[in-house]
Amino acid sequence: MSTITATAPPTASNSAGKLYRLGRIFGADGRTVVLPVDHGTMLGRVSGLEDPAALLETFLPLGPDGFLLGPGLAARTAPAFAHRNAPARLLTIDTYWRGEQSGEHVLMTSLAHAAALGVDAVKVLMPWDVPAEERAARAKLIGQVIIEAEPFGLPVMVEPIVLASPRPANATQIEADGARMAAELGADIIKVMTPDDPSLLSDWSRELGLPIVILGGPAGCTTDDLLETVQEAINAGARGITIGRKVWQRPVDEATELLVKLAQIVHPDR
Amino acid sequence: MSTITATAPPTASNSAGKLYRLGRIFGADGRTVVLPVDHGTMLGRVSGLEDPAALLETFLPLGPDGFLLGPGLAARTAPAFAHRNAPARLLTIDTYWRGEQSGEHVLMTSLAHAAALGVDAVKVLMPWDVPAEERAARAKLIGQVIIEAEPFGLPVMVEPIVLASPRPANATQIEADGARMAAELGADIIKVMTPDDPSLLSDWSRELGLPIVILGGPAGCTTDDLLETVQEAINAGARGITIGRKVWQRPVDEATELLVKLAQIVHPDR
Amino acid sequence: MSTITATAPPTASNSAGKLYRLGRIFGADGRTVVLPVDHGTMLGRVSGLEDPAALLETFLPLGPDGFLLGPGLAARTAPAFAHRNAPARLLTIDTYWRGEQSGEHVLMTSLAHAAALGVDAVKVLMPWDVPAEERAARAKLIGQVIIEAEPFGLPVMVEPIVLASPRPANATQIEADGARMAAELGADIIKVMTPDDPSLLSDWSRELGLPIVILGGPAGCTTDDLLETVQEAINAGARGITIGRKVWQRPVDEATELLVKLAQIVHPDR
Amino acid sequence: MSTITATAPPTASNSAGKLYRLGRIFGADGRTVVLPVDHGTMLGRVSGLEDPAALLETFLPLGPDGFLLGPGLAARTAPAFAHRNAPARLLTIDTYWRGEQSGEHVLMTSLAHAAALGVDAVKVLMPWDVPAEERAARAKLIGQVIIEAEPFGLPVMVEPIVLASPRPANATQIEADGARMAAELGADIIKVMTPDDPSLLSDWSRELGLPIVILGGPAGCTTDDLLETVQEAINAGARGITIGRKVWQRPVDEATELLVKLAQIVHPDR
Amino acid sequence: MSTITATAPPTASNSAGKLYRLGRIFGADGRTVVLPVDHGTMLGRVSGLEDPAALLETFLPLGPDGFLLGPGLAARTAPAFAHRNAPARLLTIDTYWRGEQSGEHVLMTSLAHAAALGVDAVKVLMPWDVPAEERAARAKLIGQVIIEAEPFGLPVMVEPIVLASPRPANATQIEADGARMAAELGADIIKVMTPDDPSLLSDWSRELGLPIVILGGPAGCTTDDLLETVQEAINAGARGITIGRKVWQRPVDEATELLVKLAQIVHPDR
């Protein structure tokens, strides 16, 4: 009996919409290659991403599963996605700025605007190596985003992250705590750094009941190291990657080759 | 210079969303083959469409550009569309009932629910062979739909139609008047019956500045007649078809073959 | 691997709530015995139901899966349901009055009040042997109920029905059309009269993708006839019964025995 | 005369709903065993609760009266509660973070989402060993929760607590003050630590006119000590327990045995 | 075929309104000369602009493309613009005050009032050499302005600026980062200081996909220097100028002559 003619579990329109959108992000193998080009929303005119629309156009033909981008770029590049085989779009809706004493986390746009743009998910940061009071503020904001996204059927990707550099010894523990908090708040996708022991990804996936995608972070490792890290993460249960700077902060030819190899690791059967 | 890096006309997020969604409905050639399976919203358990989810599943592999369907079916069949190569979905949001003295036109669902479902457009009927008072009521409802759809970036397909059977001598004139009214209200796509003189489609397209797709209507003509009519309409400037009963009120094999031929007429270069 | 630790499909809080509530109505076998005692909302002080709270108390120990009741009775009898093994409650929220020329269909209470009461579903009538204009009004009202119920996670039971007596020859066809319309509007449960050919229930269940429960209607058949009808309906795929007058318009002992037998037919493995 | 046919005090739908939900939490003996698994909303990936869904599944068959859990876990585990004999669910809707200078107390989700999920109560913390300004802020937030919960018929459990460690000499006095404040704000259930003199529970219960359940706190006592403490609390009038870490931060077999014994103390006649 | 009768890209009313208004600001050559007279909103009774209405009246006959002015002046001088060939008006809606420790950025008026005035755009400052926490606050405010301006079809001009004096070595880099952030937030026009290397304007224009106009800043350079700077900026791709003090903080005759020369540089073919 086919899946769609069988009596399905009861659904609401927003839940059906969420299912539809998540299916556009994750391929038939349940995995995804997302190329983030949203760095201007925090890093400004970052090296290698000076012209995000041009970069997007360069990498579109490689067929990543999705792009992560900010509101302005999403509106400007809508024509490039205005066909049925286009990658998914995940919208970064927040910006976070860390001062000496404290950090401020705000939304750049509204969930209603995200829905109007027709993106497939929204994404928010969750800095978690922050003072207790800020954790409360982060949890409140992310909880509100999740509540407001729900009637629009928009999935929410949350990125629990340790921002301190160098990373403290307990960074993985902090990010594990943040991931749990994100799951408790109702996140749909977790974006996180691969822990030193990648097998933790397997534990976290089971425990959280959510797809986990791994981030890249600043450039600076060899392509071989990156490929190995990603392979380990995928082996350990990661459902995909959102790696930007480590890809496009290289010469275009090298970046292209690297993205193709990463896609092969994530989607070996494609 | 590439399209997306060139300085684009200024845009708003809802306008970008409309452009994105229309690009999902109309192919690279600017044309579309939409298979309507929304008849249950007015005709009930109509012959040939008793099991709309099964029918949808039968025709999905043929790759039509889109399906036209009602809210319940859209929620139920979301999994079948939850991947990036899936056809577009246009949501019928109204239902119209004609009594002896008057007709009533109401919405079945809200624009917010259409947005939550993630459909690419909404569609409303515009019965126009009606008394003056009803024309006002129709115009009011359709105008409201267009206003409410705008912040969601949802395109609106309007179908001006003469419901009387047999069609009166001035049916084409009435539908031309209705199409004009729909354009004045702000419609994005016109769905209309092919006029007796198909070259009028060319005039209407130019005059309205909108894509026109032609409807099928009740079954009852030969496949050759249908193919000829569609070819003439496309030659005259129609941007596509939304033909249901004339397709699926046939044996499946015949219907499949017919849909393939129709797609070849609409998309000769695909 | 257990169902709840496996990675589940993405969900929204209202969808999770709907799933939770439907699971309280339908047993582990996917079937339900609902005893309706809501007749006062249309029939007034109907024979056998003069004291609905007393009647409810009489039948509670028999352990039906649920009761169908109106807002006042639901508030008054809340203590009887204030324990974890209590039957589900489905709330009748509308009332319909048929005049000589037309009928009026209105809500008695709001979805917010239904949610406050803690009921597991709401139920609305869908008279469908009505003039065309009224069908529009019915569809509009039921569509609004479904839209408003959605954020509360409340399932909606819709009852397409031919009210004319005696039933016209095409009554089953009209109810099939109404059931389709209800499904298009987004109903979660269909309540309908068993068609003369019960095997249609199998077709309808598959086609609508929804659980169908059968109604009883006025008293007046033998218990054997009723049991046979219900057995046929269950055999044909009905997911349960909502039979009131045919049960409680009998002496209590007879009614009790009948309800037990009906439950055995619906839940043979319980 | 039966309880439900007697002339009851006039009721509103939300009051009836509150009564209904409280009856689902407290058994026929007016007592409850609630297993809290909501610690991820403040403690992150806490030891013993790394996989809260799995833990929940382990303890479900033991039949506690309820679980206390966060929004994400409640949505994810809805299927496990989607039957009539399932335990009640109490939803933790807030998160509190204590910094060096001050603490921040925020809501993770909305009352509307709690209602949509179909939970039987919401629960908020009330840190009361805090500076005066913070007491005002705590009172304001809890007062708002109680106000907003009311139209949904959702009972509110409030937990007045001294967070300082080690506990100051006047900890019980502070918690007594907090419990009184919670009662003044309109709380429905008080969750509190057993005072050194358990007989105070009897006084508090009478004075507040509210059911009091006792909390467990961090692991670290023997099972015998725990059982004795609980027995004393129940003897003194406690209406139940919400003990988590002291139960599940043990080997599963030991935890299971302990929970069974605790249930026997709370419900000796069950 | 003419552009306006050809099938246009789909549009929404607010997007059409934005296009209309931008077309009023930028001439047929895509460039604009805007004379700012809004300095009272931050500088008070600034020298040379003591009587802004009189100054405005003086320069109106010279036919600049637009004036930048505050809400009070816009209301007061409406008669001067109440004809079809009048310059556009861009409304400064915010005011920024820098203290020793931090700055405060607030709106002086609402977007609704801007729409009521009939202005062609609104303008906000974006101080970007500020502490991290303030960048978050600036981004939040500007993001809100852009969101609120959108349904009114009002273009938003954003001015990323380094306020420190003397300008730090990395001032251009900071303004480039701010311009990127403004573009990500959805700005329609960027107002910025000409970088030391004017050719960066060409890069920025391409990268941001937005028109860039250059600001003047305090008086104090020779007319020749100013003309040269503007010529270089225009050569490098600037779409116009918004230069006030460097123009009107001179004797009227000199200022008039200067404005004429600036207009000739911006619009050589006019």
Side-chain angles (χ1 to χ4, degrees):
Chain A
M1 194 178 213
S2 80
T3 51
I4 67 168
T5 56
T7 299
T11 192
S13 62
N14 56 346
S15 181
K18 220 182 230 195
L19 186 151
Y20 165 75
R21 291 178 178 96
L22 282 166
R24 289 176 44 80
I25 297 169
F26 294 96
D29 57 4
R31 294 193 187 148
T32 192
V33 173
V34 174
L35 191 66
V37 293
D38 65 330
H39 302 66
T41 61
M42 282 197 280
L43 304 181
R45 190 174 177 249
V46 66
S47 170
L49 193 65
E50 290 86 353
D51 190 338
L55 190 143
L56 192 148
E57 195 167 17
T58 301
F59 289 101
L60 257 174
L62 298 181
D65 296 280
F67 283 89
L68 179 62
L69 70 183
L73 191 61
R76 179 185 174 200
T77 61
F81 292 90
H83 57 94
R84 279 198 302 286
N85 296 334
R89 291 173 301 162
L90 299 88
L91 190 73
T92 295
I93 60 171
D94 62 338
T95 184
Y96 178 82
W97 297 87
R98 175 111 226 116
E100 286 183 25
Q101 300 301 326
S102 64
E104 286 295 327
H105 193 196
V106 300
L107 297 189
M108 292 188 292
T109 190
S110 69
L111 275 302
H113 278 70
L117 282 166
V119 296
D120 297 295
V122 296
K123 186 257 168 187
V124 286
L125 201 70
M126 189 189 201
W128 211 238
D129 59 331
V130 293
E133 302 89 324
E134 284 192 40
R135 284 193 175 187
R138 295 306 86 82
K140 182 180 181 181
L141 184 69
I142 294 167
Q144 284 176 331
V145 165
I146 288 168
I147 283 176
E148 290 182 26
E150 192 169 301
F152 290 110
L154 278 170
V156 180
M157 175 189 276
V158 179
E159 178 178 358
I161 195 164
V162 166
L163 291 175
S165 179
R167 282 169 69 81
N170 64 342
T172 288
Q173 176 60 36
I174 292 173
E175 287 167 352
D177 288 345
R180 167 64 61 85
M181 186 65 177
E184 293 287 357
L185 291 168
D188 296 292
I189 309 171
I190 300 294
K191 177 186 175 191
V192 75
M193 177 168 288
T194 305
D196 296 333
D197 173 4
S199 74
L200 276 172
L201 286 171
S202 167
D203 295 336
W204 294 352
S205 295
R206 188 186 66 251
E207 293 167 12
L208 303 174
L210 293 175
I212 297 177
V213 296
I214 60 167
L215 58 84
C221 63
T222 68
T223 60
D224 282 354
D225 283 353
L226 178 61
L227 293 170
E228 191 185 330
T229 301
V230 168
Q231 183 68 65
E232 284 177 349
I234 295 294
N235 290 350
R239 297 276 297 275
I241 59 174
T242 57
I243 298 178
R245 283 172 290 175
K246 282 189 166 62
V247 170
W248 44 250
Q249 280 185 339
R250 299 174 186 276
V252 167
D253 287 358
E254 200 181 317
T256 301
E257 192 183 351
L258 178 53
L259 189 58
V260 168
K261 284 183 180 168
L262 287 169
Q264 286 167 344
I265 291 172
V266 174
H267 298 300
D269 302 328
R270 191 177 276 183
Chain B
M1 196 178 210
S2 80
T3 50
I4 67 170
T5 55
T7 299
T11 191
S13 62
N14 56 345
S15 181
K18 220 182 231 194
L19 185 149
Y20 165 74
R21 291 179 178 95
L22 283 164
R24 289 178 42 80
I25 297 169
F26 294 96
D29 57 3
R31 293 191 188 150
T32 193
V33 173
V34 174
L35 190 65
V37 293
D38 64 331
H39 302 67
T41 61
M42 282 196 280
L43 303 180
R45 189 175 179 250
V46 65
S47 170
L49 194 64
E50 290 85 354
D51 190 338
L55 189 144
L56 192 148
E57 196 168 16
T58 300
F59 288 100
L60 257 174
L62 298 181
D65 296 280
F67 283 89
L68 179 62
L69 71 183
L73 191 60
R76 180 185 172 200
T77 61
F81 292 90
H83 57 95
R84 280 197 301 287
N85 296 332
R89 292 173 300 163
L90 299 88
L91 190 73
T92 295
I93 60 171
D94 62 338
T95 183
Y96 178 81
W97 297 87
R98 175 110 225 115
E100 286 184 24
Q101 300 300 328
S102 64
E104 287 293 329
H105 192 197
V106 299
L107 296 190
M108 292 187 292
T109 191
S110 69
L111 274 303
H113 277 71
L117 282 165
V119 296
D120 297 294
V122 297
K123 186 257 167 187
V124 286
L125 201 69
M126 189 189 201
W128 212 238
D129 59 330
V130 294
E133 300 91 321
E134 286 192 39
R135 284 193 174 187
R138 293 310 84 82
K140 180 180 180 184
L141 184 68
I142 294 167
Q144 285 177 330
V145 164
I146 288 167
I147 284 176
E148 291 182 25
E150 193 170 299
F152 291 110
L154 278 170
V156 180
M157 175 188 277
V158 179
E159 179 178 357
I161 194 164
V162 166
L163 292 175
S165 179
R167 283 168 67 82
N170 63 341
T172 288
Q173 176 59 38
I174 292 173
E175 286 167 352
D177 289 344
R180 169 62 59 87
M181 186 65 180
E184 294 288 356
L185 291 167
D188 297 290
I189 310 171
I190 301 294
K191 178 186 174 191
V192 75
M193 178 169 285
T194 305
D196 295 333
D197 172 4
S199 74
L200 277 172
L201 286 172
S202 168
D203 296 336
W204 294 351
S205 295
R206 188 185 66 252
E207 295 165 8
L208 303 174
L210 292 174
I212 297 178
V213 296
I214 60 167
L215 58 87
C221 66
T222 68
T223 62
D224 282 354
D225 283 353
L226 178 61
L227 293 170
E228 191 184 330
T229 301
V230 168
Q231 184 68 66
E232 285 178 348
I234 294 296
N235 290 349
R239 297 275 297 275
I241 60 174
T242 56
I243 299 178
R245 282 173 291 175
K246 281 188 167 63
V247 170
W248 43 250
Q249 280 185 338
R250 298 175 188 276
V252 167
D253 286 359
E254 201 180 316
T256 301
E257 193 182 352
L258 178 53
L259 189 58
V260 169
K261 284 183 178 168
L262 288 168
Q264 287 167 343
I265 291 172
V266 175
H267 299 301
D269 302 329
R270 191 177 279 186
Chain C
M1 195 177 212
S2 80
T3 50
I4 66 169
T5 55
T7 299
T11 191
S13 62
N14 56 346
S15 182
K18 221 183 231 196
L19 185 150
Y20 165 73
R21 291 179 178 94
L22 283 164
R24 289 178 42 81
I25 297 170
F26 293 97
D29 56 4
R31 293 191 188 149
T32 193
V33 173
V34 174
L35 191 65
V37 293
D38 64 329
H39 301 67
T41 61
M42 281 197 281
L43 302 180
R45 189 170 179 261
V46 64
S47 169
L49 194 65
E50 292 86 351
D51 188 341
L55 190 143
L56 193 148
E57 194 166 16
T58 300
F59 288 101
L60 257 173
L62 297 181
D65 296 279
F67 283 89
L68 179 63
L69 71 184
L73 190 60
R76 179 183 172 203
T77 62
F81 292 90
H83 58 94
R84 279 198 304 288
N85 296 333
R89 291 173 300 163
L90 299 89
L91 190 73
T92 295
I93 60 171
D94 61 337
T95 183
Y96 178 82
W97 298 86
R98 175 111 224 117
E100 286 185 24
Q101 300 298 327
S102 63
E104 287 293 330
H105 192 196
V106 299
L107 296 189
M108 293 187 292
T109 189
S110 69
L111 273 302
H113 279 71
L117 282 166
V119 296
D120 297 295
V122 297
K123 186 258 167 186
V124 286
L125 200 68
M126 188 188 202
W128 212 237
D129 60 329
V130 293
E133 301 90 324
E134 286 192 39
R135 283 193 174 187
R138 295 306 86 81
K140 182 180 182 183
L141 184 69
I142 294 167
Q144 285 176 330
V145 165
I146 288 169
I147 283 176
E148 291 182 24
E150 193 169 301
F152 291 110
L154 279 170
V156 181
M157 176 189 276
V158 179
E159 179 179 356
I161 194 164
V162 166
L163 291 175
S165 180
R167 282 168 68 81
N170 64 342
T172 289
Q173 176 59 37
I174 292 173
E175 287 167 350
D177 288 345
R180 167 63 62 84
M181 186 64 177
E184 293 286 358
L185 292 168
D188 296 291
I189 310 170
I190 301 294
K191 177 186 174 191
V192 75
M193 178 168 285
T194 306
D196 295 334
D197 174 3
S199 74
L200 276 172
L201 286 172
S202 166
D203 295 337
W204 294 352
S205 295
R206 188 186 66 253
E207 295 166 11
L208 303 174
L210 293 174
I212 298 177
V213 296
I214 61 167
L215 59 86
C221 64
T222 68
T223 61
D224 283 354
D225 283 354
L226 178 60
L227 293 171
E228 189 183 332
T229 300
V230 168
Q231 182 68 65
E232 284 178 348
I234 294 295
N235 290 349
R239 297 276 296 277
I241 60 174
T242 57
I243 298 178
R245 282 172 290 175
K246 281 188 166 63
V247 170
W248 43 250
Q249 281 185 339
R250 298 175 188 275
V252 167
D253 286 358
E254 199 180 318
T256 300
E257 191 182 355
L258 179 52
L259 188 57
V260 169
K261 284 183 178 168
L262 287 169
Q264 286 168 343
I265 291 172
V266 174
H267 298 301
D269 301 328
R270 192 176 278 184
Chain D
M1 195 179 211
S2 80
T3 51
I4 67 169
T5 55
T7 299
T11 191
S13 62
N14 55 348
S15 179
K18 218 181 235 194
L19 185 152
Y20 164 74
R21 291 179 178 95
L22 283 166
R24 288 178 45 79
I25 296 170
F26 294 96
D29 56 4
R31 294 194 188 146
T32 191
V33 173
V34 174
L35 190 65
V37 292
D38 64 331
H39 302 66
T41 61
M42 282 196 278
L43 303 181
R45 189 174 178 252
V46 65
S47 170
L49 195 65
E50 290 86 354
D51 190 339
L55 189 143
L56 192 148
E57 196 167 15
T58 300
F59 289 101
L60 257 173
L62 298 181
D65 296 280
F67 283 88
L68 179 62
L69 71 183
L73 191 62
R76 179 184 174 201
T77 60
F81 292 89
H83 57 95
R84 278 197 303 286
N85 295 334
R89 291 174 301 163
L90 298 88
L91 190 73
T92 295
I93 60 171
D94 61 339
T95 183
Y96 177 82
W97 297 87
R98 174 112 224 115
E100 287 182 24
Q101 300 300 327
S102 63
E104 287 292 329
H105 193 196
V106 299
L107 296 190
M108 293 187 293
T109 191
S110 69
L111 275 303
H113 277 71
L117 282 166
V119 296
D120 298 295
V122 296
K123 186 258 167 186
V124 286
L125 201 71
M126 189 189 202
W128 212 237
D129 59 333
V130 293
E133 302 91 322
E134 285 192 40
R135 283 194 176 187
R138 293 310 83 85
K140 181 180 180 185
L141 185 69
I142 294 167
Q144 284 176 332
V145 165
I146 288 169
I147 284 176
E148 290 182 25
E150 188 167 306
F152 291 110
L154 279 169
V156 180
M157 175 189 277
V158 179
E159 179 179 357
I161 195 164
V162 166
L163 291 176
S165 179
R167 283 170 68 82
N170 63 342
T172 289
Q173 176 60 38
I174 293 173
E175 287 168 351
D177 289 345
R180 168 63 59 86
M181 185 64 179
E184 293 288 355
L185 290 167
D188 297 290
I189 309 172
I190 300 294
K191 177 187 174 191
V192 75
M193 177 169 287
T194 306
D196 295 333
D197 173 3
S199 74
L200 277 172
L201 286 172
S202 167
D203 296 336
W204 294 353
S205 295
R206 186 186 67 251
E207 294 164 10
L208 303 173
L210 292 174
I212 297 177
V213 296
I214 60 166
L215 57 85
C221 63
T222 67
T223 60
D224 282 354
D225 283 354
L226 178 61
L227 293 171
E228 190 184 331
T229 301
V230 169
Q231 183 68 64
E232 284 177 349
I234 295 295
N235 290 349
R239 297 275 297 277
I241 59 174
T242 58
I243 299 178
R245 283 173 289 175
K246 282 189 167 62
V247 170
W248 44 250
Q249 279 185 339
R250 299 174 186 275
V252 168
D253 286 357
E254 200 180 318
T256 301
E257 193 183 350
L258 179 53
L259 189 58
V260 168
K261 284 183 179 166
L262 287 169
Q264 286 167 345
I265 291 172
V266 175
H267 298 300
D269 302 329
R270 192 178 275 182
Chain E
M1 195 180 212
S2 80
T3 51
I4 66 166
T5 55
T7 299
T11 191
S13 63
N14 56 346
S15 180
K18 222 182 228 195
L19 187 150
Y20 164 76
R21 290 179 179 94
L22 283 165
R24 288 178 44 78
I25 296 169
F26 294 96
D29 57 4
R31 295 194 187 144
T32 192
V33 173
V34 174
L35 190 66
V37 292
D38 64 330
H39 302 65
T41 62
M42 281 196 282
L43 303 180
R45 189 168 178 262
V46 65
S47 168
L49 195 63
E50 291 85 352
D51 188 341
L55 189 143
L56 194 147
E57 196 167 12
T58 301
F59 289 100
L60 257 175
L62 297 181
D65 296 281
F67 284 89
L68 179 62
L69 69 183
L73 190 61
R76 178 182 172 203
T77 61
F81 293 89
H83 57 94
R84 275 199 305 288
N85 294 334
R89 291 173 300 161
L90 297 87
L91 190 73
T92 294
I93 60 171
D94 61 338
T95 183
Y96 179 83
W97 298 85
R98 174 113 224 116
E100 286 185 24
Q101 300 299 327
S102 63
E104 287 294 328
H105 193 195
V106 299
L107 296 189
M108 292 187 291
T109 189
S110 69
L111 275 302
H113 280 71
L117 282 165
V119 296
D120 297 296
V122 296
K123 186 259 169 186
V124 286
L125 200 70
M126 189 189 201
W128 211 237
D129 59 331
V130 293
E133 302 90 323
E134 285 192 40
R135 283 193 174 187
R138 295 305 87 81
K140 182 180 181 182
L141 184 69
I142 294 167
Q144 284 176 332
V145 165
I146 288 168
I147 283 176
E148 291 181 26
E150 191 169 302
F152 291 111
L154 278 169
V156 180
M157 174 189 277
V158 179
E159 179 179 356
I161 195 163
V162 166
L163 292 175
S165 180
R167 281 169 68 81
N170 63 342
T172 289
Q173 176 61 36
I174 292 173
E175 287 167 350
D177 288 344
R180 168 63 61 85
M181 187 65 177
E184 292 287 358
L185 292 168
D188 296 292
I189 309 170
I190 301 294
K191 176 186 174 190
V192 74
M193 176 168 288
T194 305
D196 296 334
D197 173 2
S199 74
L200 276 172
L201 287 171
S202 167
D203 296 336
W204 295 352
S205 295
R206 187 186 68 251
E207 294 167 10
L208 303 174
L210 293 174
I212 297 178
V213 296
I214 60 167
L215 58 84
C221 64
T222 68
T223 61
D224 282 354
D225 283 352
L226 178 61
L227 293 170
E228 189 183 333
T229 300
V230 169
Q231 183 67 64
E232 284 178 347
I234 295 295
N235 290 349
R239 297 276 297 276
I241 58 173
T242 57
I243 299 178
R245 282 172 291 175
K246 282 189 165 63
V247 171
W248 43 250
Q249 281 184 338
R250 299 175 186 275
V252 168
D253 286 357
E254 198 180 321
T256 301
E257 190 183 355
L258 178 53
L259 189 58
V260 169
K261 284 184 179 168
L262 287 169
Q264 286 168 343
I265 290 173
V266 175
H267 299 298
D269 302 328
R270 192 177 275 182

